[in-house]
Amino acid sequence: MIFNFDKYFSNKSSCKELNDNDCCRIAAYFTQNGCCYVTGRVLKERDRELHHRLPKSLGGKDVPENLIYLLSAIHKMVHTDSLEDFKNYMNELSLSTFEIFKINQLRIEAHKSIFIV
Ligand SMILES: [Zn+2]
């Protein structure tokens, strides 16, 4: 797997400038082999978002075990309150029952209600 540090941390001039938060993000990325936690699809630079399993607003920390990378659409599915939006993303991505299950697990962790579809 190729990890382009220059692109990923374009505002840093060297690895010495990486802080703990950067290191946690890198650890999360490598733990998932650069793939979406839910779908396993390869994450492209413009289509990935970092998710806090326990939201920062609920006391979640910037530690590797609380951070996962998701496809942007999957991340929206975790946080949306709209069943219609949820279904639209689900159909757009042709998600399996197991993938929907994993998204609902993440919704529970984020203190959101689950969607039965
Ligand atoms: Zn999130």
Side-chain angles (χ1 to χ4, degrees):
M1 179 183 57
I2 296 168
F3 187 87
N4 189 329
F5 285 92
D6 291 336
K7 276 190 174 180
Y8 197 74
F9 299 108
S10 55
N11 59 333
K12 315 280 182 185
S13 62
S14 79
C15 286
K16 289 180 182 171
E17 291 185 29
L18 297 178
N19 59 33
D20 285 350
N21 194 29
D22 293 331
C23 291
C24 288
R25 288 164 187 250
I26 293 169
Y29 186 85
F30 276 100
T31 298
Q32 295 175 223
N33 292 317
C35 297
C36 174
Y37 174 82
V38 168
T39 66
R41 298 178 198 181
V42 173
L43 294 165
K44 295 180 180 144
E45 188 179 351
R46 279 178 284 171
D47 195 27
R48 68 174 175 231
E49 294 180 8
L50 190 67
H51 172 67
H52 290 79
R53 297 180 77 130
L54 180 64
K56 290 181 93 169
S57 60
L58 297 173
K61 305 276 188 249
D62 284 326
V63 293
E65 56 269 29
N66 193 43
L67 298 172
I68 53 174
Y69 276 98
L70 301 169
L71 287 169
S72 300
I74 298 290
H75 195 207
K76 288 173 179 63
M77 290 178 78
V78 171
H79 288 284
T80 187
D81 291 320
S82 163
L83 177 59
E84 188 181 344
D85 288 350
F86 189 91
K87 283 182 175 176
N88 286 339
Y89 286 122
M90 186 182 77
N91 292 331
E92 192 177 296
L93 295 169
S94 300
L95 297 175
S96 68
T97 304
F98 183 59
E99 289 165 335
I100 298 297
F101 174 78
K102 288 175 83 174
I103 293 168
N104 274 322
Q105 278 188 315
L106 294 174
R107 289 181 61 85
I108 290 169
E109 290 175 5
H111 294 208
K112 308 285 286 184
S113 59
I114 62 169
F115 285 128
I116 309 291
V117 289

